Tab-separated table of all heavy atoms in Angstrom:
chain	number	residue	atom	x	y	z
N	1	MET	N	-48.611	27.875	-48.898
N	1	MET	CA	-48.511	29.331	-48.863
N	1	MET	C	-49.882	29.923	-49.183
N	1	MET	O	-50.575	29.454	-50.076
N	1	MET	CB	-47.474	29.827	-49.873
N	1	MET	CG	-47.385	31.340	-49.896
N	1	MET	SD	-46.338	32.036	-51.205
N	1	MET	CE	-44.757	31.376	-50.812
N	2	THR	N	-50.260	30.936	-48.446
N	2	THR	CA	-51.512	31.626	-48.696
N	2	THR	C	-51.353	32.549	-49.889
N	2	THR	O	-50.365	33.271	-50.007
N	2	THR	CB	-51.924	32.458	-47.467
N	2	THR	OG1	-52.046	31.581	-46.356
N	2	THR	CG2	-53.250	33.168	-47.699
N	3	ASP	N	-52.315	32.520	-50.787
N	3	ASP	CA	-52.282	33.326	-51.999
N	3	ASP	C	-53.385	34.383	-51.909
N	3	ASP	O	-54.556	34.044	-51.796
N	3	ASP	CB	-52.499	32.424	-53.213
N	3	ASP	CG	-52.484	33.191	-54.515
N	3	ASP	OD1	-51.706	34.157	-54.631
N	3	ASP	OD2	-53.250	32.824	-55.424
N	4	ILE	N	-53.017	35.646	-51.890
N	4	ILE	CA	-53.978	36.747	-51.822
N	4	ILE	C	-53.840	37.566	-53.093
N	4	ILE	O	-52.744	38.029	-53.429
N	4	ILE	CB	-53.716	37.647	-50.597
N	4	ILE	CG1	-53.790	36.822	-49.310
N	4	ILE	CG2	-54.715	38.809	-50.564
N	4	ILE	CD1	-53.380	37.581	-48.056
N	5	LYS	N	-54.952	37.721	-53.800
N	5	LYS	CA	-54.936	38.532	-55.022
N	5	LYS	C	-55.676	39.842	-54.767
N	5	LYS	O	-56.715	39.850	-54.118
N	5	LYS	CB	-55.622	37.785	-56.168
N	5	LYS	CG	-54.852	36.578	-56.649
N	5	LYS	CD	-55.531	35.948	-57.844
N	5	LYS	CE	-54.677	34.897	-58.510
N	5	LYS	NZ	-54.316	33.788	-57.686
N	6	CYS	N	-55.137	40.921	-55.278
N	6	CYS	CA	-55.806	42.223	-55.212
N	6	CYS	C	-56.540	42.408	-56.527
N	6	CYS	O	-55.905	42.560	-57.581
N	6	CYS	CB	-54.801	43.350	-55.036
N	6	CYS	SG	-53.836	43.257	-53.528
N	7	ALA	N	-57.864	42.368	-56.482
N	7	ALA	CA	-58.636	42.597	-57.698
N	7	ALA	C	-58.474	44.053	-58.118
N	7	ALA	O	-58.437	44.947	-57.269
N	7	ALA	CB	-60.106	42.273	-57.451
N	8	SER	N	-58.360	44.288	-59.408
N	8	SER	CA	-58.243	45.657	-59.886
N	8	SER	C	-59.498	46.440	-59.509
N	8	SER	O	-60.621	46.019	-59.827
N	8	SER	CB	-58.062	45.648	-61.407
N	8	SER	OG	-57.899	46.957	-61.882
N	9	ASP	N	-59.330	47.519	-58.782
N	9	ASP	CA	-60.448	48.363	-58.333
N	9	ASP	C	-61.459	47.582	-57.486
N	9	ASP	O	-62.654	47.898	-57.490
N	9	ASP	CB	-61.182	49.016	-59.508
N	9	ASP	CG	-60.271	49.871	-60.370
N	9	ASP	OD1	-59.254	50.367	-59.861
N	9	ASP	OD2	-60.592	50.040	-61.565
N	10	GLY	N	-60.987	46.542	-56.789
N	10	GLY	CA	-61.905	45.715	-56.013
N	10	GLY	C	-61.234	45.081	-54.810
N	10	GLY	O	-60.215	45.570	-54.327
N	11	PRO	N	-61.833	43.977	-54.313
N	11	PRO	CA	-61.418	43.398	-53.041
N	11	PRO	C	-60.138	42.560	-53.111
N	11	PRO	O	-59.615	42.280	-54.185
N	11	PRO	CB	-62.603	42.490	-52.696
N	11	PRO	CG	-63.122	42.061	-54.024
N	11	PRO	CD	-62.958	43.267	-54.918
N	12	TYR	N	-59.692	42.146	-51.920
N	12	TYR	CA	-58.678	41.106	-51.805
N	12	TYR	C	-59.406	39.783	-52.000
N	12	TYR	O	-60.456	39.557	-51.404
N	12	TYR	CB	-58.048	41.091	-50.408
N	12	TYR	CG	-57.280	42.318	-50.028
N	12	TYR	CD1	-57.781	43.190	-49.069
N	12	TYR	CD2	-56.040	42.596	-50.598
N	12	TYR	CE1	-57.059	44.321	-48.701
N	12	TYR	CE2	-55.317	43.719	-50.231
N	12	TYR	CZ	-55.832	44.575	-49.283
N	12	TYR	OH	-55.128	45.685	-48.918
N	13	LEU	N	-58.868	38.903	-52.811
N	13	LEU	CA	-59.453	37.585	-53.047
N	13	LEU	C	-58.530	36.537	-52.447
N	13	LEU	O	-57.344	36.466	-52.799
N	13	LEU	CB	-59.630	37.349	-54.549
N	13	LEU	CG	-60.499	38.383	-55.261
N	13	LEU	CD1	-60.479	38.155	-56.762
N	13	LEU	CD2	-61.927	38.364	-54.725
N	14	ILE	N	-59.080	35.733	-51.522
N	14	ILE	CA	-58.281	34.746	-50.801
N	14	ILE	C	-58.999	33.404	-50.881
N	14	ILE	O	-60.150	33.277	-50.459
N	14	ILE	CB	-58.098	35.143	-49.320
N	14	ILE	CG1	-57.609	36.589	-49.214
N	14	ILE	CG2	-57.127	34.203	-48.632
N	14	ILE	CD1	-57.649	37.143	-47.812
N	15	ALA	N	-58.307	32.417	-51.414
N	15	ALA	CA	-58.886	31.085	-51.573
N	15	ALA	C	-58.877	30.339	-50.246
N	15	ALA	O	-57.900	30.400	-49.505
N	15	ALA	CB	-58.104	30.304	-52.627
N	16	GLY	N	-59.999	29.648	-49.967
N	16	GLY	CA	-60.075	28.819	-48.786
N	16	GLY	C	-59.343	27.506	-48.995
N	16	GLY	O	-58.954	27.194	-50.117
N	17	PRO	N	-59.126	26.734	-47.934
N	17	PRO	CA	-59.739	26.949	-46.625
N	17	PRO	C	-58.977	27.993	-45.812
N	17	PRO	O	-57.755	28.062	-45.866
N	17	PRO	CB	-59.624	25.576	-45.961
N	17	PRO	CG	-58.404	24.960	-46.578
N	17	PRO	CD	-58.368	25.481	-47.995
N	18	LEU	N	-59.761	28.778	-45.068
N	18	LEU	CA	-59.165	29.748	-44.160
N	18	LEU	C	-60.181	30.160	-43.106
N	18	LEU	O	-61.380	29.886	-43.245
N	18	LEU	CB	-58.661	30.985	-44.916
N	18	LEU	CG	-59.684	31.839	-45.651
N	18	LEU	CD1	-60.025	33.069	-44.838
N	18	LEU	CD2	-59.144	32.258	-46.993
N	19	GLU	N	-59.670	30.749	-42.068
N	19	GLU	CA	-60.514	31.268	-41.004
N	19	GLU	C	-60.224	32.750	-40.826
N	19	GLU	O	-59.069	33.168	-40.871
N	19	GLU	CB	-60.252	30.551	-39.679
N	19	GLU	CG	-60.656	29.093	-39.678
N	19	GLU	CD	-60.418	28.409	-38.346
N	19	GLU	OE1	-59.710	28.968	-37.487
N	19	GLU	OE2	-60.956	27.305	-38.174
N	20	ILE	N	-61.269	33.523	-40.630
N	20	ILE	CA	-61.146	34.959	-40.383
N	20	ILE	C	-61.754	35.220	-39.011
N	20	ILE	O	-62.887	34.804	-38.748
N	20	ILE	CB	-61.904	35.768	-41.458
N	20	ILE	CG1	-61.329	35.469	-42.836
N	20	ILE	CG2	-61.866	37.265	-41.139
N	20	ILE	CD1	-62.204	35.951	-43.988
N	21	THR	N	-61.016	35.872	-38.149
N	21	THR	CA	-61.523	36.210	-36.817
N	21	THR	C	-61.917	37.673	-36.802
N	21	THR	O	-61.102	38.553	-37.103
N	21	THR	CB	-60.458	35.936	-35.744
N	21	THR	OG1	-60.045	34.567	-35.840
N	21	THR	CG2	-61.003	36.195	-34.356
N	22	ASP	N	-63.197	37.936	-36.489
N	22	ASP	CA	-63.672	39.321	-36.483
N	22	ASP	C	-63.281	40.014	-35.174
N	22	ASP	O	-62.727	39.370	-34.263
N	22	ASP	CB	-65.186	39.385	-36.764
N	22	ASP	CG	-66.049	38.917	-35.613
N	22	ASP	OD1	-65.555	38.746	-34.483
N	22	ASP	OD2	-67.267	38.737	-35.844
N	23	PRO	N	-63.532	41.319	-35.036
N	23	PRO	CA	-63.095	42.045	-33.836
N	23	PRO	C	-63.722	41.542	-32.541
N	23	PRO	O	-63.190	41.787	-31.456
N	23	PRO	CB	-63.520	43.491	-34.116
N	23	PRO	CG	-63.569	43.587	-35.601
N	23	PRO	CD	-64.046	42.240	-36.067
N	24	GLN	N	-64.844	40.814	-32.632
N	24	GLN	CA	-65.479	40.258	-31.432
N	24	GLN	C	-64.974	38.855	-31.112
N	24	GLN	O	-65.427	38.234	-30.157
N	24	GLN	CB	-67.000	40.229	-31.603
N	24	GLN	CG	-67.664	41.592	-31.512
N	24	GLN	CD	-67.459	42.410	-32.782
N	24	GLN	OE1	-67.536	41.884	-33.877
N	24	GLN	NE2	-67.181	43.689	-32.630
N	25	GLY	N	-64.080	38.344	-31.942
N	25	GLY	CA	-63.530	37.016	-31.717
N	25	GLY	C	-64.289	35.904	-32.413
N	25	GLY	O	-63.968	34.728	-32.242
N	26	ASN	N	-65.301	36.250	-33.190
N	26	ASN	CA	-66.043	35.236	-33.943
N	26	ASN	C	-65.189	34.744	-35.100
N	26	ASN	O	-64.571	35.548	-35.808
N	26	ASN	CB	-67.342	35.828	-34.495
N	26	ASN	CG	-68.246	36.334	-33.403
N	26	ASN	OD1	-68.588	35.607	-32.486
N	26	ASN	ND2	-68.623	37.605	-33.500
N	27	VAL	N	-65.174	33.421	-35.287
N	27	VAL	CA	-64.390	32.834	-36.367
N	27	VAL	C	-65.310	32.556	-37.554
N	27	VAL	O	-66.316	31.857	-37.424
N	27	VAL	CB	-63.697	31.540	-35.899
N	27	VAL	CG1	-62.949	30.891	-37.061
N	27	VAL	CG2	-62.743	31.844	-34.740
N	28	LEU	N	-64.971	33.142	-38.675
N	28	LEU	CA	-65.729	32.967	-39.915
N	28	LEU	C	-64.922	32.029	-40.792
N	28	LEU	O	-63.768	32.309	-41.125
N	28	LEU	CB	-65.919	34.327	-40.600
N	28	LEU	CG	-66.453	35.439	-39.687
N	28	LEU	CD1	-66.303	36.792	-40.335
N	28	LEU	CD2	-67.886	35.171	-39.309
N	29	LYS	N	-65.501	30.897	-41.155
N	29	LYS	CA	-64.779	29.873	-41.907
N	29	LYS	C	-65.105	29.956	-43.385
N	29	LYS	O	-66.265	30.048	-43.764
N	29	LYS	CB	-65.122	28.494	-41.369
N	29	LYS	CG	-64.678	28.318	-39.927
N	29	LYS	CD	-64.905	26.901	-39.436
N	29	LYS	CE	-64.469	26.830	-37.983
N	29	LYS	NZ	-63.839	25.620	-37.615
N	30	ILE	N	-64.053	29.918	-44.178
N	30	ILE	CA	-64.192	29.863	-45.630
N	30	ILE	C	-63.703	28.480	-46.057
N	30	ILE	O	-62.548	28.125	-45.824
N	30	ILE	CB	-63.349	30.965	-46.323
N	30	ILE	CG1	-63.678	32.352	-45.733
N	30	ILE	CG2	-63.546	30.917	-47.827
N	30	ILE	CD1	-65.110	32.807	-45.893
N	31	ALA	N	-64.582	27.694	-46.633
N	31	ALA	CA	-64.270	26.302	-46.971
N	31	ALA	C	-63.345	26.205	-48.183
N	31	ALA	O	-63.255	27.125	-49.004
N	31	ALA	CB	-65.573	25.557	-47.262
N	32	GLU	N	-62.693	25.062	-48.295
N	32	GLU	CA	-61.873	24.782	-49.467
N	32	GLU	C	-62.764	24.842	-50.708
N	32	GLU	O	-63.908	24.382	-50.691
N	32	GLU	CB	-61.244	23.387	-49.342
N	32	GLU	CG	-60.279	23.102	-50.464
N	32	GLU	CD	-59.413	21.882	-50.168
N	32	GLU	OE1	-59.510	21.314	-49.071
N	32	GLU	OE2	-58.621	21.536	-51.050
N	33	GLY	N	-62.272	25.426	-51.739
N	33	GLY	CA	-63.050	25.581	-52.970
N	33	GLY	C	-63.835	26.884	-53.018
N	33	GLY	O	-64.386	27.231	-54.050
N	34	LYS	N	-63.925	27.583	-51.884
N	34	LYS	CA	-64.594	28.880	-51.827
N	34	LYS	C	-63.537	29.985	-51.793
N	34	LYS	O	-62.381	29.745	-51.425
N	34	LYS	CB	-65.476	29.001	-50.573
N	34	LYS	CG	-66.555	27.948	-50.478
N	34	LYS	CD	-67.663	28.233	-51.440
N	34	LYS	CE	-68.813	27.251	-51.242
N	34	LYS	NZ	-69.889	27.450	-52.194
N	35	THR	N	-63.936	31.172	-52.144
N	35	THR	CA	-63.027	32.318	-52.116
N	35	THR	C	-63.638	33.417	-51.271
N	35	THR	O	-64.814	33.752	-51.451
N	35	THR	CB	-62.766	32.845	-53.540
N	35	THR	OG1	-62.157	31.809	-54.309
N	35	THR	CG2	-61.854	34.062	-53.523
N	36	ALA	N	-62.856	33.973	-50.353
N	36	ALA	CA	-63.299	35.124	-49.576
N	36	ALA	C	-62.916	36.392	-50.335
N	36	ALA	O	-61.806	36.500	-50.844
N	36	ALA	CB	-62.636	35.129	-48.203
N	37	ALA	N	-63.840	37.334	-50.422
N	37	ALA	CA	-63.566	38.656	-51.007
N	37	ALA	C	-63.602	39.653	-49.865
N	37	ALA	O	-64.657	39.916	-49.284
N	37	ALA	CB	-64.608	39.002	-52.067
N	38	LEU	N	-62.428	40.145	-49.488
N	38	LEU	CA	-62.327	41.070	-48.356
N	38	LEU	C	-62.219	42.499	-48.847
N	38	LEU	O	-61.457	42.801	-49.773
N	38	LEU	CB	-61.110	40.727	-47.490
N	38	LEU	CG	-61.093	39.316	-46.906
N	38	LEU	CD1	-59.867	39.137	-46.024
N	38	LEU	CD2	-62.362	39.013	-46.138
N	39	CYS	N	-62.984	43.372	-48.198
N	39	CYS	CA	-63.049	44.772	-48.613
N	39	CYS	C	-61.670	45.432	-48.541
N	39	CYS	O	-60.971	45.341	-47.547
N	39	CYS	CB	-64.038	45.520	-47.729
N	39	CYS	SG	-64.208	47.264	-48.178
N	40	ARG	N	-61.346	46.118	-49.607
N	40	ARG	CA	-60.077	46.851	-49.698
N	40	ARG	C	-60.337	48.348	-49.795
N	40	ARG	O	-59.436	49.158	-49.606
N	40	ARG	CB	-59.332	46.350	-50.952
N	40	ARG	CG	-57.882	46.694	-51.042
N	40	ARG	CD	-57.179	45.770	-52.013
N	40	ARG	NE	-57.501	45.956	-53.403
N	40	ARG	CZ	-56.794	46.681	-54.261
N	40	ARG	NH1	-55.722	47.302	-53.850
N	40	ARG	NH2	-57.158	46.780	-55.527
N	41	CYS	N	-61.591	48.721	-50.051
N	41	CYS	CA	-61.899	50.136	-50.282
N	41	CYS	C	-62.379	50.863	-49.030
N	41	CYS	O	-62.359	52.089	-48.984
N	41	CYS	CB	-62.964	50.264	-51.376
N	41	CYS	SG	-64.629	49.821	-50.851
N	42	GLY	N	-62.888	50.113	-48.049
N	42	GLY	CA	-63.393	50.720	-46.823
N	42	GLY	C	-64.864	51.082	-46.868
N	42	GLY	O	-65.419	51.552	-45.877
N	43	HIS	N	-65.554	50.840	-47.963
N	43	HIS	CA	-66.958	51.244	-48.103
N	43	HIS	C	-67.966	50.127	-47.832
N	43	HIS	O	-69.171	50.386	-47.804
N	43	HIS	CB	-67.212	51.804	-49.503
N	43	HIS	CG	-66.480	53.069	-49.801
N	43	HIS	ND1	-66.761	54.259	-49.183
N	43	HIS	CD2	-65.447	53.320	-50.640
N	43	HIS	CE1	-65.965	55.201	-49.631
N	43	HIS	NE2	-65.141	54.657	-50.511
N	44	SER	N	-67.522	48.896	-47.636
N	44	SER	CA	-68.460	47.788	-47.449
N	44	SER	C	-69.303	47.960	-46.194
N	44	SER	O	-68.813	48.385	-45.145
N	44	SER	CB	-67.688	46.460	-47.357
N	44	SER	OG	-68.591	45.408	-47.070
N	45	GLY	N	-70.556	47.586	-46.288
N	45	GLY	CA	-71.441	47.558	-45.130
N	45	GLY	C	-71.415	46.198	-44.455
N	45	GLY	O	-72.176	45.964	-43.523
N	46	ASN	N	-70.579	45.296	-44.931
N	46	ASN	CA	-70.464	43.936	-44.387
N	46	ASN	C	-69.000	43.569	-44.189
N	46	ASN	O	-68.553	42.510	-44.594
N	46	ASN	CB	-71.146	42.931	-45.328
N	46	ASN	CG	-71.195	41.544	-44.723
N	46	ASN	OD1	-71.277	41.393	-43.507
N	46	ASN	ND2	-71.157	40.526	-45.562
N	47	LYS	N	-68.247	44.477	-43.575
N	47	LYS	CA	-66.823	44.199	-43.334
N	47	LYS	C	-66.666	43.001	-42.404
N	47	LYS	O	-67.480	42.821	-41.516
N	47	LYS	CB	-66.144	45.427	-42.717
N	47	LYS	CG	-66.075	46.600	-43.663
N	47	LYS	CD	-65.347	47.748	-42.987
N	47	LYS	CE	-65.375	48.993	-43.833
N	47	LYS	NZ	-66.651	49.705	-43.766
N	48	PRO	N	-65.686	42.172	-42.623
N	48	PRO	CA	-64.549	42.437	-43.498
N	48	PRO	C	-64.788	42.072	-44.958
N	48	PRO	O	-63.876	42.181	-45.777
N	48	PRO	CB	-63.449	41.559	-42.890
N	48	PRO	CG	-64.194	40.365	-42.386
N	48	PRO	CD	-65.504	40.917	-41.862
N	49	PHE	N	-65.994	41.621	-45.288
N	49	PHE	CA	-66.246	41.160	-46.653
N	49	PHE	C	-66.627	42.306	-47.584
N	49	PHE	O	-67.202	43.311	-47.168
N	49	PHE	CB	-67.345	40.098	-46.652
N	49	PHE	CG	-66.986	38.896	-45.843
N	49	PHE	CD1	-67.531	38.712	-44.584
N	49	PHE	CD2	-66.070	37.971	-46.308
N	49	PHE	CE1	-67.171	37.618	-43.809
N	49	PHE	CE2	-65.704	36.871	-45.543
N	49	PHE	CZ	-66.260	36.699	-44.290
N	50	CYS	N	-66.336	42.113	-48.832
N	50	CYS	CA	-66.739	43.049	-49.886
N	50	CYS	C	-68.229	42.848	-50.149
N	50	CYS	O	-68.708	41.723	-50.216
N	50	CYS	CB	-65.936	42.723	-51.154
N	50	CYS	SG	-66.515	43.551	-52.645
N	51	ASP	N	-68.960	43.934	-50.286
N	51	ASP	CA	-70.376	43.832	-50.651
N	51	ASP	C	-70.671	44.525	-51.978
N	51	ASP	O	-71.827	44.777	-52.314
N	51	ASP	CB	-71.275	44.388	-49.535
N	51	ASP	CG	-71.162	45.888	-49.365
N	51	ASP	OD1	-70.334	46.525	-50.055
N	51	ASP	OD2	-71.919	46.438	-48.537
N	52	GLY	N	-69.642	44.857	-52.717
N	52	GLY	CA	-69.819	45.470	-54.034
N	52	GLY	C	-69.855	46.990	-54.015
N	52	GLY	O	-69.951	47.609	-55.075
N	53	GLN	N	-69.775	47.592	-52.843
N	53	GLN	CA	-69.848	49.054	-52.763
N	53	GLN	C	-68.691	49.747	-53.482
N	53	GLN	O	-68.824	50.911	-53.879
N	53	GLN	CB	-69.882	49.510	-51.299
N	53	GLN	CG	-71.263	49.547	-50.709
N	53	GLN	CD	-72.158	50.535	-51.436
N	53	GLN	OE1	-71.825	51.690	-51.627
N	53	GLN	NE2	-73.316	50.049	-51.866
N	54	HIS	N	-67.573	49.051	-53.656
N	54	HIS	CA	-66.445	49.680	-54.370
N	54	HIS	C	-66.885	50.133	-55.760
N	54	HIS	O	-66.420	51.163	-56.250
N	54	HIS	CB	-65.239	48.727	-54.436
N	54	HIS	CG	-65.514	47.443	-55.143
N	54	HIS	ND1	-66.024	46.334	-54.507
N	54	HIS	CD2	-65.371	47.111	-56.435
N	54	HIS	CE1	-66.163	45.351	-55.388
N	54	HIS	NE2	-65.778	45.801	-56.565
N	55	LYS	N	-67.791	49.391	-56.374
N	55	LYS	CA	-68.278	49.781	-57.712
N	55	LYS	C	-69.162	51.012	-57.610
N	55	LYS	O	-69.028	51.949	-58.390
N	55	LYS	CB	-69.057	48.634	-58.363
N	55	LYS	CG	-68.177	47.489	-58.795
N	55	LYS	CD	-68.996	46.420	-59.473
N	55	LYS	CE	-68.117	45.237	-59.811
N	55	LYS	NZ	-68.881	44.107	-60.308
N	56	ALA	N	-70.082	51.012	-56.654
N	56	ALA	CA	-70.985	52.152	-56.481
N	56	ALA	C	-70.215	53.428	-56.159
N	56	ALA	O	-70.632	54.528	-56.522
N	56	ALA	CB	-72.004	51.856	-55.376
N	57	GLN	N	-69.081	53.262	-55.455
N	57	GLN	CA	-68.264	54.422	-55.064
N	57	GLN	C	-67.214	54.772	-56.114
N	57	GLN	O	-66.432	55.705	-55.910
N	57	GLN	CB	-67.562	54.131	-53.734
N	57	GLN	CG	-68.494	53.833	-52.586
N	57	GLN	CD	-69.335	55.029	-52.183
N	57	GLN	OE1	-68.892	56.169	-52.277
N	57	GLN	NE2	-70.561	54.785	-51.746
N	58	SER	N	-67.183	53.990	-57.201
N	58	SER	CA	-66.164	54.185	-58.253
N	58	SER	C	-64.760	54.221	-57.655
N	58	SER	O	-63.897	55.005	-58.066
N	58	SER	CB	-66.424	55.471	-59.045
N	58	SER	OG	-67.674	55.412	-59.675
N	59	TRP	N	-64.547	53.333	-56.671
N	59	TRP	CA	-63.257	53.277	-55.992
N	59	TRP	C	-62.175	52.790	-56.942
N	59	TRP	O	-62.405	51.879	-57.742
N	59	TRP	CB	-63.349	52.351	-54.781
N	59	TRP	CG	-62.089	52.273	-53.988
N	59	TRP	CD1	-61.611	53.201	-53.125
N	59	TRP	CD2	-61.140	51.207	-54.003
N	59	TRP	NE1	-60.416	52.782	-52.596
N	59	TRP	CE2	-60.101	51.554	-53.119
N	59	TRP	CE3	-61.069	49.996	-54.682
N	59	TRP	CZ2	-59.005	50.741	-52.892
N	59	TRP	CZ3	-59.979	49.186	-54.454
N	59	TRP	CH2	-58.960	49.559	-53.570
N	60	LYS	N	-61.019	53.378	-56.877
N	60	LYS	CA	-59.895	53.001	-57.741
N	60	LYS	C	-58.771	52.429	-56.900
N	60	LYS	O	-58.361	53.040	-55.915
N	60	LYS	CB	-59.373	54.210	-58.533
N	60	LYS	CG	-60.406	54.843	-59.434
N	60	LYS	CD	-60.835	53.873	-60.500
N	60	LYS	CE	-61.918	54.462	-61.385
N	60	LYS	NZ	-62.692	53.442	-62.090
N	61	GLY	N	-58.304	51.265	-57.291
N	61	GLY	CA	-57.205	50.630	-56.576
N	61	GLY	C	-56.506	49.644	-57.492
N	61	GLY	O	-56.641	48.441	-57.334
N	62	SER	N	-55.805	50.141	-58.459
N	62	SER	CA	-55.139	49.248	-59.401
N	62	SER	C	-53.636	49.528	-59.491
N	62	SER	O	-52.973	49.068	-60.410
N	62	SER	CB	-55.768	49.361	-60.787
N	62	SER	OG	-55.699	50.689	-61.246
N	63	GLU	N	-53.130	50.273	-58.486
N	63	GLU	CA	-51.699	50.561	-58.501
N	63	GLU	C	-50.889	49.290	-58.235
N	63	GLU	O	-51.371	48.354	-57.615
N	63	GLU	CB	-51.349	51.625	-57.444
N	63	GLU	CG	-51.613	51.195	-56.019
N	63	GLU	CD	-53.078	51.296	-55.597
N	63	GLU	OE1	-53.904	51.877	-56.312
N	63	GLU	OE2	-53.393	50.749	-54.535
N	64	ALA	N	-49.669	49.298	-58.706
N	64	ALA	CA	-48.779	48.164	-58.498
N	64	ALA	C	-48.361	48.097	-57.040
N	64	ALA	O	-48.187	49.121	-56.385
N	64	ALA	CB	-47.545	48.299	-59.386
N	65	GLY	N	-48.202	46.865	-56.526
N	65	GLY	CA	-47.728	46.683	-55.168
N	65	GLY	C	-46.230	46.945	-55.079
N	65	GLY	O	-45.511	46.842	-56.065
N	66	LYS	N	-45.779	47.285	-53.862
N	66	LYS	CA	-44.367	47.482	-53.618
N	66	LYS	C	-43.947	46.507	-52.546
N	66	LYS	O	-44.651	46.330	-51.544
N	66	LYS	CB	-44.072	48.916	-53.160
N	66	LYS	CG	-44.396	49.944	-54.216
N	66	LYS	CD	-44.171	51.348	-53.720
N	66	LYS	CE	-44.596	52.336	-54.784
N	66	LYS	NZ	-44.886	53.642	-54.248
N	67	GLN	N	-42.833	45.884	-52.725
N	67	GLN	CA	-42.324	44.922	-51.749
N	67	GLN	C	-42.054	45.645	-50.423
N	67	GLN	O	-41.399	46.690	-50.424
N	67	GLN	CB	-41.029	44.300	-52.272
N	67	GLN	CG	-40.560	43.100	-51.500
N	67	GLN	CD	-41.460	41.895	-51.706
N	67	GLN	OE1	-41.937	41.654	-52.811
N	67	GLN	NE2	-41.707	41.148	-50.640
N	68	PRO	N	-42.616	45.136	-49.286
N	68	PRO	CA	-42.376	45.822	-48.001
N	68	PRO	C	-40.928	45.690	-47.569
N	68	PRO	O	-40.224	44.815	-47.963
N	68	PRO	CB	-43.317	45.114	-47.027
N	68	PRO	CG	-43.585	43.780	-47.634
N	68	PRO	CD	-43.449	43.958	-49.127
J	101	LIG	S1	-63.680	46.288	-51.939
J	101	LIG	FE1	-65.708	45.824	-52.412
J	101	LIG	S2	-66.858	46.961	-50.997
J	101	LIG	FE2	-64.809	47.454	-50.525
């Protein structure tokens, strides 16, 4: 099972191994033992990855999740 964590006021954290396909069809590989940090705030200049801009923007995202 894939485990995705929502960092408080930060990115989605997803443990590898995994593959991410960008909008152009490029496959970005995250190796086992590595963690991908995917932008959750929308401010990253390196989407889909987090580049730390959530901190500079003082983005808040710590609400509890709701079961879909
Ligand atoms: S979550 Fe870090 S830049 Fe968006």
Side-chain angles (χ1 to χ4, degrees):
M1 178 187 298
T2 301
D3 180 36
I4 302 173
K5 291 184 170 60
C6 298
S8 182
D9 302 334
Y12 296 109
L13 302 173
I14 310 169
L18 63 101
E19 293 181 346
I20 300 166
T21 304
D22 73 12
Q24 287 76 41
N26 300 305
V27 177
L28 310 167
K29 297 185 181 217
I30 307 299
E32 186 166 356
K34 301 286 186 183
T35 299
L38 301 183
C39 181
R40 195 160 70 96
C41 74
H43 295 292
S44 175
N46 187 31
K47 293 182 186 78
F49 299 103
C50 169
D51 69 356
Q53 273 298 308
H54 60 273
K55 289 182 184 173
Q57 301 294 327
S58 299
W59 182 76
K60 300 296 178 201
S62 58
E63 63 280 349
K66 296 177 184 158
Q67 192 70 39

